[in-house]
Amino acid sequence: QQLPQPPPQPPTPAPTFDCNAGFAHWQTGWSEQKKDWCCHAQGRGCGGPPPPAPPPAFDCNAGSANWAIGWSQPKKDFCCKQNGKGCQPGPVFDCNAGWGNWYAAWSVPKKAWCCQRQGKGCLTTPCPVA
């Protein structure tokens, strides 16, 4: 005697969500429902919120009232580029021009500028390069 065949299985329903669409930015681009469904159904989009952005290299508000002499050159460069703060006004000197006779030929501002930025023309030893 032959046993009756079980009824055919219904077709698998299409996924509720397309877990490939927008996957590159799932943390911020997917709804909570899509995250839950894709995580449980396909193992995609699981996890907590995205990690926080790293803190900036320098706090450009700290010491800004005295930035010209209180900030290091790397902080000035960073804050000028990132926030428009600490930008060096005034001249930019060519520290190679007149290098052979810098002590007598260079102005005091050029000596200070080149000493601080390139370690040339310093009147102290060792040169206080920032």
Side-chain angles (χ1 to χ4, degrees):
Q1 179 174 7
Q2 199 174 23
L3 294 174
Q5 293 289 340
Q9 293 292 323
T12 304
T16 305
F17 294 100
D18 178 354
C19 300
N20 292 319
F23 183 69
H25 303 286
W26 70 269
Q27 295 99 331
T28 57
W30 286 6
S31 68
E32 289 302 316
Q33 293 83 7
K34 183 173 180 176
K35 290 177 189 176
D36 289 343
W37 192 91
C38 289
C39 181
H40 289 93
Q42 297 183 7
R44 301 193 83 187
C46 303
F58 296 99
D59 179 354
C60 297
N61 292 319
S64 62
N66 194 28
W67 68 268
I69 59 173
W71 286 3
S72 66
Q73 192 59 46
K75 181 172 180 174
K76 290 176 186 175
D77 293 343
F78 174 86
C79 292
C80 182
K81 182 178 178 184
Q82 298 296 319
N83 301 93
K85 295 180 180 180
C87 301
Q88 298 288 334
V92 175
F93 295 100
D94 178 355
C95 300
N96 292 319
W99 173 240
N101 190 27
W102 70 269
Y103 190 82
W106 287 5
S107 66
V108 171
K110 181 174 180 175
K111 289 175 186 173
W113 195 92
C114 291
C115 178
Q116 184 180 21
R117 287 163 185 77
Q118 297 185 12
K120 293 182 173 182
C122 300
L123 298 173
T124 60
T125 305
C127 294
V129 177

